[in-house]
Amino acid sequence: MILEQLVQDLDRKAHWQNVYKQKAATEVSWFQLKPAISLELIAKCHLEPSAPIIDVGGGASVLVDQLIEQGYTNLSALDIAGAALAKSARLKLSAADPKLLHL
């Protein structure tokens, strides 16, 4: 049972790695140029700019980039696919130091 779960987890990870190796971030159906709903929900929380925020399953999302532009400084992105994080536009940003976490 544990071995089966481990194999499934590895297959899932390999799947997402392949998706992001084969496609640009903008080519996947779930990409949003402006993640408006997420930004709106975060704004409604009235967080301090230094409040910790994590984008779980962030992939190559631009949410962290846009939060940096709004002045947030304690940001993290977590994803199972390191290839997705590597494609992220976050790499061009130097004003903040987002943490990119790969499972």
Side-chain angles (χ1 to χ4, degrees):
M1 183 81 128
I2 294 173
L3 182 58
E4 288 176 23
Q5 183 62 45
L6 179 61
V7 169
Q8 287 176 354
D9 289 347
L10 290 173
D11 287 346
R12 189 175 303 121
K13 186 174 183 175
H15 166 77
W16 291 113
Q17 280 288 95
N18 286 332
V19 166
Y20 281 102
K21 283 182 179 178
Q22 296 173 4
K23 295 184 178 191
T26 56
E27 293 179 315
V28 294
S29 63
W30 54 89
F31 178 80
Q32 296 177 327
L33 186 57
K34 181 164 178 115
I37 294 173
S38 296
L39 291 168
E40 182 181 330
L41 291 170
I42 292 167
K44 286 182 178 184
C45 292
H46 303 287
L47 300 171
E48 294 293 323
S50 62
I53 300 173
I54 186 167
D55 184 5
V56 177
S61 167
V62 296
L63 177 61
V64 168
D65 303 275
Q66 294 187 15
L67 290 171
I68 289 170
E69 290 173 8
Q70 293 180 13
Y72 292 95
T73 59
N74 191 0
L75 304 167
S76 300
L78 172 69
D79 202 275
I80 194 169
L85 293 171
K87 285 189 175 185
S88 172
R90 290 178 211 102
L91 300 176
K92 71 178 179 164
L93 298 167
S94 60
D97 185 21
K99 294 148 199 77
L100 305 178
L101 309 169
H102 173 239
L103 293 176

